[in-house]
Amino acid sequence: GVQTCALPISHLFDAVSHKDYAPLRHEIADFLGSRYEYYRYHKGVRKLRECQQREIARLFCRYGYTQEPVFDHAETAAIFS
């Protein structure tokens, strides 16, 4: 199908407080598979699928952030599973 993918995620934490930054980043890295994978998304090497974007938004919500996370850029892409 066709999905809107986000890339990179370098401004994802711009509105996050200092106390939440490290634990939230750690949870997102765990969700993405590893710190290595997190940095691949951070640099735009990999693109976040819509389901991943929703999960990241859910993690932000758990920390009390009610606004949707801001991704640097979005593009429409064909996804083959």
Side-chain angles (χ1 to χ4, degrees), residues 9 11-17 20-21 23-25 27-28 38 48 52-71:
I9 58 173
H11 292 286
L12 189 60
F13 298 100
D14 287 356
V16 172
S17 73
D20 293 337
Y21 174 75
L24 182 55
R25 189 189 75 208
E27 284 199 51
I28 291 172
Y38 166 82
L48 289 170
Q52 293 170 309
Q53 295 171 52
R54 285 191 301 272
E55 178 62 19
I56 289 171
R58 192 185 69 72
L59 290 172
F60 269 74
C61 202
R62 280 189 32 214
Y63 279 80
Y65 298 95
T66 56
Q67 289 190 337
E68 288 287 318
V70 176
F71 299 99

Side-chain angles (χ1 to χ4, degrees), residues 2-8 44-50 53 71-79:
V2 175
Q3 290 192 16
T4 301
C5 297
L7 73 155
V45 174
R46 301 207 53 187
K47 300 172 187 174
L48 289 170
R49 292 180 175 197
E50 289 174 356
Q53 295 171 52
F71 299 99
D72 297 9
H73 173 73
E75 67 180 35
T76 302
I79 304 296

